[in-house]
């Protein structure tokens, strides 16, 4: 990014032209010589001679959260100050979308995982991409080959290390297919398995790791809460162990899927409590900071007008066509268009739209949220460390 840094609540556009999360794996694999991989992040000069690369994604570690975490995470703070730069996520700034953008190197419109939850076209079913057991088929639903597959085809040893319970899930297959999956139940196991995979063999290697705890504690207790501080300290210990254990011909890239914003209770708008927000709406998907509204035939304009009036400055309300025209999703093929709502509601400031009766109760009682296009949610770090 160039120019003055935006404030945390300023809007940020995805940097699909170079400088987004989707550029991380192609840039890393360009260093390893994988055909077709473009180094849009300019990593090659810093990683000359590197043959093994680890990519660690820390869920919820936004660029704007690093100054807050610095008090409890000195290794993280030092790396951010000396090797860090900001990237953007894609849109929405949410875990499933970002994990698949990382894995495929594409914007959300291309890969089709267009939110935390989306409506399955032609049905009234809402698919939760995190709780996805395999229906619809992940390879059909997300048709873009991953960079893990491309790297393996080019002779790179590819390992994915994440929680054991995520093995074989729909999201894992959509985002990470092509890698040898290794389960790791906590930070210590994650570090050990990532370092072991980096050290194995003599040829080029790519190791991808995922750590979810910071995000979870942010959601449940808020950014800079005591549980969040402890989670930030655990992230720091994980980073220190990885940095200390890097082989001489290896590098570590650290990034994230999104940041977070605390949402005060008074800024949570309950769509189940106001019949005017339900009028003309058949299916609600998305998540509290970005809602997809699928409307009854002919009701789209009325829904836009009602939500615009009732939410006022708390949200930007657009039709699907208007939302796609912003470029948030990148190009969207016809096959993926109807996964986006007829109406798209993007929350502003620290507002969120919850659904206390029609969605799990916990979703409306979280403290921190993400998904929208503010700098605090959309801006993530890229830290680069050589062995």
């Amino acid at each position: 990014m160039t120019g003055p840094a935006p404030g945390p609540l300023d809007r940020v556009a995805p940097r699909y032209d170079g400088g987004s999360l989707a550029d991380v794996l192609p840039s890393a694999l360009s260093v390893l010589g994988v055909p077709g991989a473009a180094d849009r992040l300019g990593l090659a000069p810093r990683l000359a001679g590197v043959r093994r690369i680890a990519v660690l994604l820390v869920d919820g570690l936004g660029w704007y959260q690093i100054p807050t975490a610095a008090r409890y995470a000195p290794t993280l703070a030092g790396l951010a100050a000396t090797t860090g730069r900001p990237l953007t996520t894609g849109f929405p700034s949410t875990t499933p979308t970002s994990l698949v953008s990382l894995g495929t190197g594409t914007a959300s419109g291309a890969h089709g995982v267009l939110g935390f939850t989306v409506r399955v076209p032609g049905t009234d079913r809402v698919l939760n991409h995190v709780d996805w057991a395999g229906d619809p088929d992940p390879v059909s639903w997300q048709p873009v080959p991953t960079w893990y597959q491309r790297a393996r085809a080019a002779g790179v040893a590819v390992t994915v290390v994440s929680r054991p319970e995520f093995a074989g899930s729909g999201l894992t297959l959509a985002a990470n297919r092509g890698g040898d999956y290794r389960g790791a139940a906590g930070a210590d196991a994650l570090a050990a398995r990532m370092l072991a995979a980096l050290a194995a063999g003599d040829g080029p290697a790519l190791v991808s790791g995922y750590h979810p705890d910071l995000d979870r504690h942010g959601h449940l207790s808020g950014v800079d809460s005591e549980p969040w501080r402890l989670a930030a300290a655990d992230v720091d210990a994980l980073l220190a162990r990885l940095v200390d254990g890097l082989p001489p011909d290896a590098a570590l890239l650290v990034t994230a899927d999104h940041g977070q914003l605390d949402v005060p209770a008074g800024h949570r708008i309950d769509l189940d409590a106001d019949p005017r927000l339900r009028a003309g709406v058949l299916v609600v998907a998305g998540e509290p900071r970005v809602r997809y509204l699928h409307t009854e035939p002919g009701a789209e304009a009325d829904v836009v007008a009602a939500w615009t009036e009732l939410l006022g400055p708390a949200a930007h309300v657009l039709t699907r066509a208007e939302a796609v025209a912003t470029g948030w999703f990148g190009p969207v093929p016809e096959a993926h268009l109807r996964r986006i709502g007829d109406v798209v509601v993007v929350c502003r400031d620290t507002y969120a739209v919850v659904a206390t009766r029609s969605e799990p109760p916990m979703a409306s009682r979280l403290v921190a949220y993400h998904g929208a296009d503010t700098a605090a949610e959309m801006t993530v770090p890229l830290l680069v460390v050589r062995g």
Side-chain angles (χ1 to χ4, degrees), residues 21-378:
L21 184 62
D23 296 314
V24 171
L25 286 188
S27 296
L29 292 173
S30 175
V31 172
L32 298 183
V34 172
D39 183 15
R40 300 178 73 180
L41 298 179
L43 298 181
R46 299 171 68 179
L47 301 186
V50 164
R51 291 174 51 78
R52 309 159 194 260
I53 297 178
V55 178
L56 173 67
L57 187 140
V58 180
D59 200 323
L61 181 64
W63 181 256
Y64 281 71
Q65 282 75 61
I66 291 178
T68 303
R71 288 169 284 174
Y72 325 105
T75 302
L76 170 65
L79 292 177
T82 57
T83 77
R85 60 176 284 194
L87 304 176
T88 72
T89 69
F91 184 86
S93 54
T94 195
T95 299
T97 302
S98 289
L99 291 183
V100 181
S101 287
L102 175 69
T104 61
T106 63
S108 54
H111 61 64
V113 178
L114 285 154
F116 194 86
T117 70
V118 299
R119 183 188 191 183
V120 178
T123 77
D124 289 338
R125 176 188 172 195
V126 175
L127 172 64
N128 182 324
H129 282 119
V130 171
D131 185 19
W132 177 13
D135 176 27
D137 170 57
V139 178
S140 300
W141 186 257
Q142 194 294 92
V144 180
T146 71
W147 278 103
Y148 304 111
Q149 292 173 297
R150 299 181 187 190
R152 180 176 294 280
V156 177
V158 181
T159 307
V160 173
V161 187
S162 187
R163 293 296 168 95
E165 60 268 28
F166 301 152
S169 73
L171 181 57
T172 294
L173 294 173
N176 300 325
R177 59 182 181 258
D180 290 334
Y181 197 91
R182 300 287 184 267
D188 287 344
L190 176 61
R193 285 167 173 73
M194 289 182 69
L195 290 173
L198 274 182
D202 298 321
L206 173 70
V207 179
S208 175
Y210 171 74
H211 184 61
D213 292 354
L214 188 72
D215 176 72
R216 178 166 59 88
H217 289 293
H219 279 307
L220 295 175
S221 303
V223 175
D224 206 22
S225 63
E226 186 60 26
W228 188 90
R229 294 173 182 178
L230 293 173
D234 286 344
V235 169
D236 205 61
L238 170 62
L239 292 180
R241 184 170 174 186
L242 290 172
V243 170
D244 289 345
L246 283 179
D249 62 349
L252 171 67
L253 310 181
V254 182
T255 190
D257 50 351
H258 55 74
Q260 289 184 321
L261 281 173
D262 287 355
V263 173
H267 282 192
R268 298 172 203 171
I269 300 159
D270 186 359
L271 64 86
D272 286 334
D274 190 334
R276 295 172 296 176
L277 294 176
R278 278 288 184 180
V281 177
L282 288 173
V283 175
V284 177
E287 57 196 294
R289 291 279 291 168
V290 177
R291 285 295 180 183
Y292 292 155
L293 310 178
H294 297 269
T295 64
E296 298 173 357
E300 177 186 288
D302 290 340
V303 170
V304 169
W307 280 68
T308 299
E309 178 182 358
L310 293 169
L311 270 62
H316 188 28
V317 184
L318 309 89
T319 66
R320 177 194 294 132
E322 290 170 338
V324 171
T326 66
W328 281 333
F329 309 102
V332 184
E334 184 68 30
H336 297 162
L337 273 175
R338 290 197 298 151
R339 301 180 191 182
I340 302 169
D342 300 301
V343 177
V344 178
V345 180
V346 182
C347 289
R348 296 282 177 245
D349 194 57
T350 56
Y351 287 88
V353 177
V354 299
T356 56
R357 293 195 296 271
S358 55
E359 292 182 344
M362 179 58 71
S364 58
R365 295 200 294 265
L366 300 177
V367 178
Y369 293 83
H370 53 81
D373 62 341
T374 69
E377 296 160 280
M378 288 274 292

